[in-house]
Amino acid sequence: REMTARITWKPWMFSRQLPPILAEVETPALLIWGEQDRVVPVNCGELYQKYLANARLDVVSGAGHLVEMEQPDDMAAKITEFASG
């Protein structure tokens, strides 16, 4: 929790240094986001997708912040599809 507070406190979930760093990442990335995430909203996932060159954003409907606990089968299917493709 302390580390989360350090990196996300103010301004909330924002760092001017992050976009240029993300732009250098070439590894394919799968971003799985809960549609109803109240901790880290979907628009944050959209920003990550924008700055990561090889990213795909999958938004899971009916899920909040803990997609892996709320929709485990859906999440596993998305990861399996991503890893095999």
Side-chain angles (χ1 to χ4, degrees):
R1 290 183 182 170
E2 181 181 340
M3 183 54 68
T4 301
R6 286 183 186 180
I7 63 175
T8 65
W9 192 255
K10 288 185 181 180
W12 186 75
M13 300 293 284
F14 180 76
S15 169
R16 294 182 200 281
Q17 299 165 340
L18 191 56
I21 294 169
L22 291 177
E24 294 178 11
V25 175
E26 296 176 4
T27 306
L30 174 62
L31 307 169
I32 300 176
W33 231 271
E35 178 184 49
Q36 299 169 1
D37 191 333
R38 294 183 184 174
V39 178
V40 184
V42 174
N43 68 327
C44 292
E46 293 166 350
L47 287 172
Y48 274 101
Q49 181 184 26
K50 176 182 174 182
Y51 291 111
L52 287 165
N54 295 313
R56 184 175 94 199
L57 175 63
D58 280 349
V59 178
V60 180
S61 61
H65 186 65
L66 299 173
V67 179
E68 68 278 8
M69 295 176 74
E70 299 170 35
Q71 306 275 345
D73 295 335
D74 191 14
M75 183 166 179
K78 290 179 183 305
I79 292 170
T80 301
E81 175 194 345
F82 182 77
S84 65

